[in-house]
Amino acid sequence: MISWLKEEGKDRDVVVSSRIRLARNFEKYNFPVKISIEEGQSVFNEMAAVIDKSHYAIFKTKDIPKIEKEMLVEKHVISPALLGHSDISGFALSQDETETIMINEEDHLRIQVLHSGLSLNEVWHKINQIDDRIEKNVQYAFDEQLGYLTSCPTNTGTGMRASVMLHLPALEITKQINKVLSTVAQFGLAVRGVYGEGSKTMGSLYQISNQVTLGDTEETIIKKIENITRQIAEKEKNIRNSLMEKNKLEFEDKVFRAYGVLKNARMISTEEAVRLISYLKLGISMDVLKGNTINEMDKLFIEIQPASLQFINRLEMSDIERDIKRAETIRNKLI
Amino acid sequence: MISWLKEEGKDRDVVVSSRIRLARNFEKYNFPVKISIEEGQSVFNEMAAVIDKSHYAIFKTKDIPKIEKEMLVEKHVISPALLGHSDISGFALSQDETETIMINEEDHLRIQVLHSGLSLNEVWHKINQIDDRIEKNVQYAFDEQLGYLTSCPTNTGTGMRASVMLHLPALEITKQINKVLSTVAQFGLAVRGVYGEGSKTMGSLYQISNQVTLGDTEETIIKKIENITRQIAEKEKNIRNSLMEKNKLEFEDKVFRAYGVLKNARMISTEEAVRLISYLKLGISMDVLKGNTINEMDKLFIEIQPASLQFINRLEMSDIERDIKRAETIRNKLI
């Protein structure tokens, strides 16, 4: 169901995923902010002609049912912004869902590669090849001084946004998270909760990404994010260990209570489920809880989101029906 | 461990227990409020001589270790007041713990019989026989006009306090409990939470007892309590049924979550445990939860109280150690 999420990847118990996306535009067309429907269709058609059909399936956004689109957003495979341009937008998706080429999102092309764990180098290597292959057939909007030109000036230059998604429950529990996040900001990186705004996040999930796309090379940016991520992961793991040493019983109590509720509830909201699954992940990473894996829990995070839940069950559901199905899904998944 | 609690008894899913106690005093001694140590010892010795040793074990309160005494209070086998007069007080206890004769509590004798379920008639029959047997050997303080004389005038007359302990979670959940309790008060009966004061109780347990000991016969008083109890039990069961019909899923959710927490927690306070076990009882009574019985849960209510927990484990424990042992006890008891 969520094929890009795998058990493998460095620091997998802290780093859920690594993602890079490149913003690219055709030189000969107006950028999507000013594009006509006809031009938009031409962009889509040119990309459709260029893309390797044995590797990618290509879709027009408007042809995809609403729930399926929302599910793809929940899986982080396409962006929410793509749905905002659905008259002319589309996307190509690799079979393993690690590669997406979004067409007529904010830019003509948004190329994305997504892997589990801390794997920005691998992801960079892969996305670089995809970009090169496309560039053989498409004349990109490029300026010798500025680099790749984009709809929004914050993307101009490399056109690259590299990010990692981190699970930081121990930093949250010990209230050290804000200090860590402000340190990250001092390095010119952006931090935000994966769900919700700012440092108010659900499930202790945070995303770190580069703010600057001009001036540094892609490799420099990636190296910086990797280094800082590795330090945060180290800190998170140290605190997990010391929580276990100093308050083993309280720690186990929290984890097992979360398990008990998830394994028994008959109705559960996304918010509560995500909060409790976060505790299970913490418990699994510390070997307190056995049976399920971190990766299974990361998949569950996504599978219980509203659209994914409905898509998997091939059923449109009311809020309460979702709460019931969510509880059932979790009960069945937990060992 | 708690031998008076049995599966049997009428309306057992609502009525935990029925209890009658008789206040009696020797004519020839000062009442305990004014008694000398020597007189107190004489009362104890005379009772010790009269009591059937093949049926009762007899103890001086001061000879019993503190934790054991507190445990007997938690089991409702002796009264907390008995511990307040420990220089001269004592008690005789039948092997099955359904009969207690407390000596030098507030009165020279407090005879108590305790059964599970709604069984005041049976209890009355039994306590009446015990009373008669004692009266053959002891000259009671008795007034033709007033009846049995007691330390406190509120007990004078029959000297009888009959009570039932009710489990009323559905009336609580639907916020109808206060209306029911005030109706009970209008019939001249007293209602109180079994734990805590007034209508603030733990575990949805309430005790109904007669306030008046003068004027009515014992049989009349008992009949009144039985009738009202039967009506409340009926109402409680009707609401349980309608909760199940109208909000089956919410109902099941609450019960299973309580089960999940109790089956998994590594530390738990008495208060939380009692609150959650109350939900389990409700779930068992509605056949939502299978495996454990109402009676096992009633025993568990007592076994997790601080002194009982320490007595069972033959260990003095700190607050936290008790929270841990309590959680372990519950995990082991739940199927």
Side-chain angles (χ1 to χ4, degrees):
Chain A
M1 150 70 188
I2 303 137
S3 37
W4 68 265
L5 257 174
K6 295 197 170 66
E7 197 65 39
E8 64 216 35
K10 255 182 300 179
D11 288 321
R12 185 66 184 81
D13 47 348
V14 175
V15 187
V16 179
S17 59
S18 299
R19 172 162 57 166
I20 298 179
R21 69 117 177 91
L22 300 175
R24 298 289 185 259
N25 288 281
F26 287 57
E27 191 170 44
K28 61 176 170 178
Y29 296 115
N30 281 320
F31 285 8
V33 274
K34 288 193 74 175
I35 208 167
S36 68
I37 300 234
E38 293 72 29
E39 276 184 307
Q41 283 164 346
S42 300
V43 172
F44 183 87
N45 292 336
E46 282 196 35
M47 276 311 295
V50 159
I51 277 167
D52 174 4
K53 308 284 186 312
S54 70
H55 188 63
Y56 295 99
I58 187 160
F59 308 95
K60 287 183 177 164
T61 309
K62 62 181 173 195
D63 292 344
I64 309 272
K66 184 170 171 287
I67 285 180
E68 200 161 334
K69 283 189 275 210
E70 288 170 3
M71 179 221 26
L72 292 168
V73 172
E74 289 171 356
K75 287 162 84 170
H76 310 289
V77 162
I78 63 172
S79 69
L82 191 74
L83 309 186
H85 304 73
S86 62
D87 47 345
I88 51 167
S89 73
F91 58 97
L93 189 60
S94 69
Q95 200 130 36
D96 66 359
E97 295 188 345
T98 58
E99 304 164 33
T100 316
I101 302 162
M102 286 174 267
I103 303 162
N104 292 323
E105 203 238 35
E106 191 183 291
D107 294 291
H108 289 148
L109 302 182
R110 287 278 176 106
I111 309 165
Q112 169 183 291
V113 173
L114 181 59
H115 276 196
S116 52
L118 181 52
S119 48
L120 283 176
N121 284 320
E122 242 178 287
V123 168
W124 168 242
H125 183 74
K126 199 165 172 185
I127 203 165
N128 208 9
Q129 288 183 329
I130 300 167
D131 188 36
D132 287 349
R133 275 199 301 269
I134 296 172
E135 208 166 4
K136 273 182 197 147
N137 299 289
V138 172
Q139 185 63 44
Y140 282 156
F142 185 82
D143 178 275
E144 280 302 326
Q145 278 284 317
L146 293 171
Y148 293 102
L149 300 177
T150 54
S151 288
C152 180
T154 58
N155 291 313
T156 299
T158 58
M160 182 186 82
R161 186 84 60 216
S163 66
V164 287
M165 198 202 290
L166 307 178
H167 184 233
L168 305 175
L171 281 164
E172 262 189 9
I173 290 168
T174 57
K175 299 191 198 311
Q176 298 182 56
I177 187 76
N178 286 329
K179 218 181 93 198
V180 168
L181 299 189
S182 68
T183 308
V184 170
Q186 283 168 19
F187 283 92
L189 300 177
V191 194
R192 60 174 193 87
V194 172
Y195 301 96
E197 287 293 308
S199 68
K200 254 205 141 186
T201 186
M202 285 203 319
S204 306
L205 290 173
Y206 296 86
Q207 183 178 287
I208 294 178
S209 61
N210 60 309
Q211 273 184 316
V212 178
T213 53
L214 258 175
D216 286 332
T217 63
E218 291 88 344
E219 285 82 359
T220 307
I221 295 169
I222 287 167
K223 191 161 222 161
K224 193 200 259 181
I225 298 178
E226 280 244 352
N227 280 341
I228 288 176
T229 300
R230 213 170 282 129
Q231 284 172 44
I232 296 174
E234 177 95 6
K235 197 168 172 70
E236 167 71 20
K237 286 190 219 179
N238 287 341
I239 299 174
R240 289 184 191 181
N241 286 328
S242 89
L243 277 178
M244 264 290 269
E245 268 171 43
K246 286 184 201 147
N247 303 301
K248 188 162 188 289
L249 229 101
E250 268 179 58
F251 186 93
E252 293 180 338
D253 187 53
K254 274 205 166 63
V255 170
F256 279 107
R257 278 170 180 257
Y259 174 82
V261 170
L262 289 170
K263 186 70 188 166
N264 286 282
R266 261 52 186 169
M267 314 167 74
I268 197 163
S269 67
T270 310
E271 201 176 331
E272 186 186 5
V274 162
R275 185 169 56 75
L276 296 178
I277 293 171
S278 171
Y279 272 113
L280 296 201
K281 283 190 62 176
L282 183 56
I284 293 166
S285 81
M286 298 311 291
D287 250 345
V288 164
L289 210 62
K290 283 148 179 110
N292 287 105
T293 64
I294 294 276
N295 195 51
E296 284 168 343
M297 293 303 100
D298 283 332
K299 287 185 187 241
L300 198 54
F301 254 118
I302 294 174
E303 287 163 4
I304 60 168
Q305 302 298 323
S308 301
L309 202 61
Q310 294 176 77
F311 179 76
I312 296 169
N313 293 285
R314 310 196 175 284
L315 201 65
E316 266 199 67
M317 290 183 264
S318 68
D319 276 14
I320 285 185
E321 287 168 337
R322 283 206 298 273
D323 286 353
I324 295 167
K325 189 53 89 174
R326 183 175 297 114
E328 189 190 311
T329 303
I330 295 170
R331 288 202 308 279
N332 291 338
K333 218 32 91 71
L334 293 188
I335 289 168
Chain B
M1 151 70 189
I2 304 138
S3 38
W4 67 266
L5 257 175
K6 295 197 170 66
E7 197 65 40
E8 64 216 36
K10 255 182 299 179
D11 287 321
R12 185 68 183 81
D13 47 348
V14 175
V15 187
V16 180
S17 59
S18 299
R19 172 162 57 165
I20 297 179
R21 69 117 177 92
L22 299 176
R24 297 290 185 260
N25 288 281
F26 287 57
E27 191 171 43
K28 62 176 171 179
Y29 296 114
N30 281 320
F31 285 9
V33 274
K34 289 193 72 175
I35 207 167
S36 68
I37 300 235
E38 293 71 30
E39 276 183 307
Q41 283 164 345
S42 300
V43 172
F44 183 88
N45 292 336
E46 283 196 34
M47 276 312 294
V50 159
I51 277 167
D52 174 5
K53 308 284 186 311
S54 69
H55 188 65
Y56 295 99
I58 187 159
F59 308 96
K60 286 182 178 165
T61 309
K62 63 182 175 195
D63 293 343
I64 309 273
K66 184 169 171 289
I67 284 181
E68 200 161 334
K69 283 189 275 210
E70 288 171 3
M71 180 223 24
L72 291 168
V73 172
E74 289 171 355
K75 287 161 82 170
H76 310 288
V77 162
I78 63 173
S79 69
L82 191 75
L83 309 186
H85 304 74
S86 61
D87 46 347
I88 50 166
S89 73
F91 58 97
L93 190 59
S94 69
Q95 200 129 35
D96 65 0
E97 294 187 344
T98 58
E99 304 165 33
T100 316
I101 301 163
M102 287 175 266
I103 303 163
N104 292 323
E105 204 238 35
E106 191 183 290
D107 294 291
H108 289 146
L109 302 182
R110 287 279 176 105
I111 309 165
Q112 171 183 289
V113 173
L114 181 58
H115 277 196
S116 52
L118 181 53
S119 48
L120 283 176
N121 283 320
E122 242 179 286
V123 167
W124 169 241
H125 183 73
K126 198 165 171 185
I127 204 165
N128 209 9
Q129 288 183 328
I130 300 168
D131 188 37
D132 287 348
R133 275 199 301 270
I134 296 173
E135 209 167 3
K136 274 183 195 144
N137 299 289
V138 172
Q139 185 63 44
Y140 281 157
F142 185 83
D143 179 275
E144 280 301 326
Q145 277 285 317
L146 293 171
Y148 293 101
L149 300 177
T150 54
S151 288
C152 180
T154 57
N155 291 313
T156 299
T158 57
M160 181 185 83
R161 186 83 62 216
S163 66
V164 286
M165 198 202 292
L166 306 178
H167 184 233
L168 305 175
L171 281 164
E172 262 189 9
I173 290 168
T174 57
K175 299 191 197 310
Q176 298 183 55
I177 188 74
N178 286 329
K179 217 181 92 196
V180 169
L181 299 188
S182 68
T183 307
V184 170
Q186 284 169 18
F187 283 93
L189 300 177
V191 194
R192 62 175 192 86
V194 172
Y195 301 96
E197 287 292 309
S199 67
K200 253 206 140 184
T201 185
M202 285 203 318
S204 307
L205 290 173
Y206 295 86
Q207 184 178 287
I208 293 179
S209 61
N210 60 310
Q211 273 185 316
V212 178
T213 54
L214 256 175
D216 287 331
T217 64
E218 290 88 344
E219 286 83 358
T220 307
I221 295 169
I222 287 166
K223 190 160 224 161
K224 192 200 261 182
I225 298 178
E226 280 244 353
N227 280 341
I228 288 176
T229 300
R230 214 170 282 130
Q231 284 172 44
I232 296 175
E234 177 96 6
K235 196 168 174 70
E236 168 71 19
K237 285 190 220 179
N238 286 342
I239 300 175
R240 289 184 191 181
N241 286 328
S242 88
L243 278 177
M244 265 289 270
E245 268 170 45
K246 287 185 201 146
N247 302 301
K248 188 163 188 288
L249 229 102
E250 268 180 57
F251 186 93
E252 292 180 339
D253 187 53
K254 274 206 165 65
V255 169
F256 279 106
R257 279 170 180 256
Y259 175 83
V261 171
L262 289 170
K263 186 69 188 168
N264 286 282
R266 261 52 186 170
M267 314 168 72
I268 197 164
S269 67
T270 309
E271 201 177 330
E272 187 186 4
V274 162
R275 186 169 54 75
L276 296 178
I277 292 171
S278 171
Y279 272 113
L280 296 201
K281 282 190 63 177
L282 183 57
I284 293 165
S285 81
M286 298 311 292
D287 249 345
V288 165
L289 210 63
K290 283 148 179 111
N292 287 106
T293 64
I294 294 276
N295 195 49
E296 284 168 345
M297 293 303 100
D298 283 332
K299 287 186 187 242
L300 197 54
F301 255 119
I302 294 174
E303 287 163 5
I304 60 168
Q305 302 298 322
S308 300
L309 202 61
Q310 294 176 79
F311 179 77
I312 297 169
N313 292 285
R314 309 196 175 285
L315 201 65
E316 265 199 67
M317 290 184 264
S318 68
D319 277 13
I320 285 185
E321 287 168 336
R322 283 206 298 273
D323 286 352
I324 295 167
K325 188 54 90 175
R326 183 175 297 115
E328 189 189 312
T329 303
I330 295 170
R331 288 202 308 280
N332 291 339
K333 219 29 92 70
L334 293 188
I335 290 168

